[in-house]
Amino acid sequence: MERTRWYKNAVFYQIWPRSFKDGNGDGMGDLYGVLEKLDYIKSLGADGIWFSPLYPSPGVDCGYDISDYMDIAEEYGGMEAFCKVLDEAHARGMKVIMDLVVNHTSDAHPWFQMSRQRIEPYTDYYIWRPAGKNGKEPNNWDSMFEGKAWAWDEVRQEYYLHLFAVRQPDLNMDNPLVREEVKKILKFWLDLGVDGFREDVITFISKKEGLPDDHLMPASKGIRFYNHGPHIHEYLQEFRRDVFSKYDCMTLAEAPLVSPKRALEYIAWDTPDLPEGSDIDMMIQFQCMCADCLFTDFMPMPFSLRRMKKAYSSWQTKLYGKAWNMLYLENHDHPRIISRYGSEAFRKESGKMLAAMYLFQQGTPFIYQGQEIGMTNWYPTEVSQYEDIQTLNQHADWPEAKRLQLYHRASRDSARTPVQWSAERYAGFSEQEPWFHVNENYKEINVVEEEADPDSILQFYRKAIRLRKKLKVVADGTFREYDRASSKLYVYERKNKDQRLLVVCSFAEKEVCWKAPAWYDLKKGRLLLSNYGGMRLDKQGALLRPYETAVLLFQAD
Ligand code: NOJ
């Protein structure tokens, strides 16, 4: 089947189902709620939806611990509601992609239950090892969520590997039977009509033979032995050859710690080493999420605009003409972007500026639920209000106040509070008390308000998306950055043979002047988008107000 790469023209909207919209009045988001809001999603200009996991799950990691890959959880409405959403999304010209989580399963998955009892053919479905010296773990690897990466199983009398929570045992992808299972899952959903997959930590699925101790890394020990492991390309090629090549679908790989150079080994279009063509279509890189932290949100640092610019720009230039970017500001794993890279005090200005900053780059943009209305971080008063397993295990031994301070800054629960639909009770998310706390600012920040205000963040997103679809230069233009050393401004240009598009973004709370290069006559530009209703120009250049952004179009010379 020909790969049309339809995703290159698409804008995606990510739904984290538990908190999107409750449609059946039980306090939990579900597919009935999604059905109600499909027109809203479409009205943004979205052409596709990425669903975080909807499968049956004990919910230890909010659905990323799956106990049945070929069903939809009852609490979301089951298969029937899903098929309805799929049809209705397709009827509106929107694609639907699912989350594929196959680095690990839930321990409640029947495969694990049978594997721990050594019932064939499941005995080697997971990574089991006898105890090491003195009954210790087989190696010194860390898990991402809960201490060491090994848990002792009383039934089997062996350790199993879990790179995430204890209740998320890692699958043994070296076992061909496991890969057959993955292919069955892929075919099942593709045959049902879904349009592709976002593949959860897929670069972790091949572990180095012998699972050696890691004596180098101070934290996340072991990661260099399983991220981009020895057979990763072989396995992804197998999935491509046996399944994806038969459908015109899209694949998006989550890839922690990936550089553009490494990403090209997976996603470059022209890949002589990969017989089936690129392993996957796009990658979710993390560099753009590390402008205010070191590797993880839980190691915070002061925000550095230069780090942020370097991350976005290097992916633009290094992938240009070779592969396709996935663009994002938020997802369910990070706190809200206005609270991080923008300013809550200048919520409206910075929310729009951040939108313009990424929406005019080359790639497929993803918008995370609530981002489009400028939702901000959540500041609970007690640690016990948090739900997320990752958060609660960070520095659990610290005093409450210190933990709270870190969690306010870093917890992904800030992105998981219910979407604020209105100023009504429970933010219009549900008529019952929701499963999770609503951010107290819902009376000011909600969809109804944003719809009513012609100058809102939501309307700005709509305008920006319409523009990006209209302007060919956004899809095919080269990328060039100005004033790279500036710690206040991010200015870039997109250019093709007909047009030059200039995107100016101020990250400063005070007025700053951008001195355009001598040959750039800003007065000749047509102002397509602004968050202040116009630009102030003088002989010096552009005088930019706090968090001002402007998108200008010029004829190419
Ligand atoms: C990445 C997912 O995005 C995150 O939410 C999850 O906790 C881990 N992978 C483990 O599946």
Side-chain angles (χ1 to χ4, degrees):
M1 158 99 50
E2 194 207 342
R3 284 163 95 174
T4 64
R5 303 189 200 282
W6 51 263
Y7 57 86
K8 287 174 72 179
N9 300 316
V11 173
F12 268 84
Y13 188 82
Q14 184 195 347
I15 292 183
W16 196 74
R18 282 185 176 212
S19 287
F20 181 68
K21 176 79 176 82
D22 176 15
N24 66 354
D26 64 356
M28 173 84 94
D30 52 44
L31 289 161
Y32 311 113
V34 173
L35 263 184
E36 279 174 40
K37 299 296 180 190
L38 280 179
D39 288 328
Y40 167 77
I41 298 170
K42 181 73 191 169
S43 78
L44 263 175
D47 314 278
I49 299 174
W50 152 27
F51 279 108
S52 277
L54 289 162
Y55 316 97
S57 154
V60 167
D61 185 18
C62 292
Y64 282 88
D65 49 320
I66 296 167
S67 52
D68 183 352
Y69 289 90
M70 301 208 211
D71 202 356
I72 297 289
E74 273 313 309
E75 74 232 42
Y76 295 137
M79 226 29 185
E80 205 184 318
F82 179 75
C83 290
K84 183 105 179 92
V85 166
L86 188 61
D87 283 352
E88 292 290 323
H90 284 164
R92 287 165 177 77
M94 290 193 286
K95 307 274 189 188
V96 172
I97 68 166
M98 302 293 272
D99 220 306
L100 176 78
V101 189
V102 291
N103 175 67
H104 44 267
T105 69
S106 160
D107 64 350
H109 196 291
W111 299 338
F112 186 77
Q113 292 305 323
M114 295 201 263
S115 191
R116 72 199 307 200
Q117 298 173 64
R118 298 179 201 261
I119 297 176
E120 289 303 343
Y122 302 101
T123 311
D124 292 328
Y125 265 43
Y126 294 84
I127 302 175
W128 294 100
R129 290 290 181 278
K133 269 188 220 133
N134 304 324
K136 278 217 186 130
E137 291 90 0
N139 71 18
N140 69 351
W141 293 5
D142 294 320
S143 84
M144 300 287 165
F145 291 169
E146 282 187 289
K148 289 284 159 204
W150 296 93
W152 178 254
D153 185 56
E154 283 300 336
V155 176
R156 177 148 162 162
Q157 292 289 305
E158 277 192 312
Y159 278 103
Y160 65 86
L161 182 75
H162 63 91
L163 294 180
F164 291 87
V166 171
R167 298 199 53 196
Q168 289 173 302
D170 276 51
L171 280 165
N172 174 16
M173 206 56 79
D174 294 332
N175 181 345
L177 296 178
V178 172
R179 302 201 297 279
E180 288 307 316
E181 300 278 10
V182 172
K183 290 187 267 179
K184 256 193 247 163
I185 297 166
L186 296 174
K187 282 189 201 136
F188 175 81
W189 292 104
L190 290 165
D191 287 339
L192 200 76
V194 313
D195 304 287
F197 295 90
R198 174 266 187 192
E199 304 182 5
D200 191 69
V201 289
I202 198 75
T203 56
F204 287 5
I205 60 172
S206 164
K207 281 82 173 166
K208 189 172 163 75
E209 284 85 0
L211 311 178
D213 273 327
D214 188 348
H215 298 297
L216 208 70
M217 298 287 285
S220 298
K221 276 197 191 340
I223 192 161
R224 65 201 175 97
F225 295 129
Y226 57 77
N227 199 14
H228 316 294
H231 301 286
I232 183 71
H233 294 292
E234 191 185 313
Y235 299 160
L236 295 176
Q237 286 285 295
E238 182 179 331
F239 300 153
R240 168 73 68 198
R241 183 190 64 232
D242 293 351
V243 186
F244 296 130
S245 64
K246 302 184 166 53
Y247 303 81
D248 185 20
C249 61
M250 148 195 154
T251 52
L252 167 65
E254 187 195 27
L257 296 178
V258 76
S259 64
K261 185 162 174 260
R262 173 78 79 161
L264 286 171
E265 293 171 12
Y266 294 83
I267 59 175
W269 295 317
D270 182 15
T271 45
D273 296 342
L274 303 177
E276 305 298 327
S278 63
D279 289 337
I280 36 208
D281 297 318
M282 291 181 284
M283 281 204 140
I284 307 179
Q285 48 103 353
F286 281 62
Q287 293 181 332
C288 65
M289 287 292 109
C290 292
D292 62 354
C293 61
L294 203 65
F295 306 123
T296 125
D297 298 313
F298 288 97
M299 293 171 80
M301 297 198 315
F303 171 65
S304 156
L305 179 62
R306 283 193 220 163
R307 261 168 86 94
M308 191 211 80
K309 295 199 290 187
K310 195 164 170 230
Y312 281 101
S313 300
S314 66
W315 282 80
Q316 287 295 299
T317 50
K318 293 189 179 151
L319 264 53
Y320 188 79
K322 297 185 181 141
W324 197 249
N325 268 292
M326 179 272 186
L327 304 166
Y328 74 107
L329 291 174
E330 285 189 8
N331 62 37
H332 64 293
D333 285 335
H334 304 280
R336 294 284 182 181
I337 203 70
I338 291 178
S339 307
R340 300 180 62 184
Y341 296 0
S343 156
E344 290 176 9
F346 291 95
R347 187 183 73 87
K348 204 164 164 176
E349 294 80 1
S350 66
K352 294 178 184 176
M353 181 278 292
L354 287 160
M357 185 278 288
Y358 90 120
L359 285 174
F360 293 97
Q361 300 204 356
Q362 188 182 53
T364 299
F366 280 64
I367 298 166
Y368 177 66
Q369 62 186 38
Q371 175 191 326
E372 77 282 10
I373 57 164
M375 282 178 66
T376 55
N377 276 358
W378 172 59
Y379 302 105
T381 50
E382 285 169 27
V383 163
S384 62
Q385 291 168 275
Y386 284 94
E387 272 285 325
D388 169 37
I389 184 165
Q390 180 195 30
T391 304
L392 289 167
N393 283 319
Q394 299 290 327
H395 303 290
D397 52 335
W398 280 8
E400 169 98 4
K402 204 168 160 201
R403 278 173 88 187
L404 261 184
Q405 200 184 10
L406 176 65
Y407 298 176
H408 282 177
R409 167 84 192 258
S411 173
R412 53 187 191 171
D413 269 347
S414 268
R416 297 177 171 193
T417 58
V419 169
Q420 294 161 205
W421 293 102
S422 74
E424 279 167 37
R425 198 156 176 235
Y426 306 132
F429 164 76
S430 174
E431 279 161 22
Q432 290 303 314
E433 187 176 347
W435 75 279
F436 195 37
H437 306 269
V438 173
N439 192 322
E440 299 83 74
N441 62 21
Y442 74 94
K443 292 218 162 114
E444 298 86 59
I445 305 174
N446 61 62
V447 174
V448 170
E449 282 285 320
E450 294 278 311
E451 289 282 10
D453 174 5
D455 191 33
S456 65
I457 299 178
L458 175 64
Q459 311 292 10
F460 190 90
Y461 265 90
R462 288 182 174 141
K463 245 183 263 168
I465 291 168
R466 266 201 307 273
L467 269 174
R468 78 163 268 135
K469 290 190 174 173
K470 233 174 34 204
L471 295 166
K472 198 163 170 288
V473 68
V474 178
D476 67 5
T478 54
F479 182 92
R480 173 177 178 181
E481 196 184 332
Y482 291 97
D483 291 276
R484 250 206 249 177
S486 170
S487 56
K488 298 197 169 94
L489 300 173
Y490 188 20
V491 183
Y492 64 84
E493 176 193 78
R494 306 290 316 281
K495 186 174 168 190
N496 64 14
K497 63 179 189 352
D498 305 311
Q499 296 175 315
R500 267 191 298 142
L501 190 75
L502 186 70
V503 181
V504 183
C505 300
S506 168
F507 282 72
E509 295 210 344
K510 299 223 168 83
E511 195 165 278
V512 274
C513 178
W514 181 56
K515 291 195 187 82
W519 50 270
Y520 229 119
D521 186 355
L522 291 181
K523 287 192 205 76
K524 288 205 177 132
R526 187 147 66 87
L527 184 63
L528 299 181
L529 198 62
S530 153
N531 57 350
Y532 276 89
M535 259 186 121
R536 293 190 307 169
L537 302 175
D538 73 0
K539 277 191 227 93
Q540 301 292 312
L543 293 174
L544 301 164
R545 286 152 285 193
Y547 295 99
E548 181 158 351
T549 187
V551 179
L552 293 147
L553 185 67
F554 300 81
Q555 290 315 307
D557 27 46

